[in-house]
Amino acid sequence: MLELAEQLERRLTGLERLDWALEECEPLERSSDERDVETIFARLPRINGMSAHARPLARELVRWREQTAARQNRPVQSVLSDAALIEVAKRAPSTGGELAKIRGVGAGNGQGRRAEELLAALGRGRESPPDPAPPRSRQPPSKPDDAPLVSLGEALLRTRAREAGLAYELLAARADLQAIVASRRTGGEADVRTLRGWRRELVGAELLDLLDGGVSLSVLEAGRGRRVQVEPRAAGP
């Protein structure tokens, strides 16, 4: 593996793309086997639709589930599924009998130590202050008139991807382009990977120039085929 890493580093250095590879590896370097309660809580299904009083209960149930799974060396979903956890938080049972009636919890979890632990977690959640869901950061909605601009942007990205010998999918997804076009229409800039790091240097900044009218695309004959050429837009009189 070390020999392979050295070969890859030499090839990337020769292509002047070592910085690109290091940038792509940064999320892996920051990753950890440790599971963060807040991250898991934020990824629960429909969590942002829950009431401000139910959300602290769900958070404590996540914490309890993580600790229980680690102690018993079991998958967290086998301790309590996401769907059951959300339902318990919404209904907030105060007795083992009420707990046992919730679908997905099971009669066995409505009594004994497991029930006591679940009810204790709910009790801790009730002691926490209400926790309203954070406001949603919404991208400007797409409009029918955006479709030609999305296609134009895709042509530019595919051209640059082919020239760089990269798969187009490494640069953007259609959803990224839709967000870029919609945000540019309102004078903003979408928070998508195409406009960050090496992707911005390769094509992202040029894409914004295209949408702002700073550059234009033209189709030229090249041998037996055609190619897209990008050039600065001529200034008007």
Side-chain angles (χ1 to χ4, degrees), residues 12 15-26 164 166 171 197-199 201-202:
L12 289 167
L15 294 169
E16 298 184 350
R17 296 181 183 178
L18 181 59
D19 289 342
W20 296 11
L22 294 176
E23 182 180 321
E24 292 297 293
C25 290
E26 284 180 4
L166 298 172
L171 300 180
W198 66 266
R199 292 176 176 86
E201 295 178 8
L202 179 66

Side-chain angles (χ1 to χ4, degrees), residues 1-229:
M1 292 296 291
L2 292 176
E3 183 179 349
L4 177 60
E6 291 176 357
Q7 292 180 11
L8 289 173
E9 184 173 348
R10 285 196 297 269
R11 290 179 59 186
L12 289 167
T13 300
L15 294 169
E16 298 184 350
R17 296 181 183 178
L18 181 59
D19 289 342
W20 296 11
L22 294 176
E23 182 180 321
E24 292 297 293
C25 290
E26 284 180 4
L28 296 176
E29 292 177 355
R30 295 193 302 266
S31 65
S32 170
D33 291 337
E34 185 177 351
R35 291 168 58 86
D36 180 66
V37 169
E38 286 300 321
T39 301
I40 299 166
F41 168 77
R43 291 176 179 172
L44 287 173
R46 303 183 302 280
I47 188 62
N48 288 335
M50 296 185 69
S51 71
H53 294 282
R55 283 168 55 85
L57 274 62
R59 181 181 285 104
E60 287 301 324
L61 288 173
V62 168
R63 197 184 314 278
W64 167 82
R65 185 177 67 173
E66 290 294 315
Q67 294 171 350
T68 301
R71 185 175 66 247
Q72 299 179 356
N73 194 25
R74 295 171 54 187
V76 292
Q77 295 293 327
S78 72
V79 175
L80 188 67
S81 69
D82 285 347
L85 188 152
I86 291 294
E87 191 64 21
V88 171
K90 288 171 61 176
R91 295 174 62 173
S94 57
T95 67
E98 294 174 350
L99 182 63
K101 293 178 182 178
I102 298 176
R103 184 176 182 179
V105 175
N109 283 336
Q111 55 188 347
R113 179 180 176 182
R114 179 62 61 87
E116 293 176 359
E117 292 178 353
L118 274 166
L119 294 174
L122 292 171
R124 292 190 296 273
R126 290 188 182 94
E127 294 174 358
S128 301
D131 177 25
R136 295 183 180 180
S137 176
R138 294 185 176 180
Q139 299 281 4
S142 297
K143 293 185 176 182
D145 290 345
D146 291 345
L149 295 177
V150 171
S151 297
L152 192 65
E154 184 176 357
L156 171 62
L157 263 70
R158 288 191 180 278
T159 297
R160 292 299 183 236
R162 185 176 62 254
E163 292 172 350
L166 298 172
Y168 164 75
E169 291 77 13
L170 284 176
L171 300 180
R174 190 167 184 83
D176 296 328
L177 286 173
Q178 291 172 336
I180 292 170
V181 169
S183 294
R184 211 58 179 173
R185 172 166 34 80
T186 60
E189 187 171 302
D191 182 20
V192 296
R193 58 177 179 159
T194 312
L195 302 182
R196 295 193 294 265
W198 66 266
R199 292 176 176 86
R200 187 183 186 98
E201 295 178 8
L202 179 66
V203 71
E206 191 175 35
L207 173 60
L208 295 179
D209 284 344
L210 175 66
L211 296 175
D212 292 342
V215 297
S216 62
L217 301 184
S218 58
V219 179
L220 300 178
E221 294 290 340
R224 296 183 178 180
R226 294 180 176 182
R227 65 181 179 86
V228 174
Q229 177 171 291

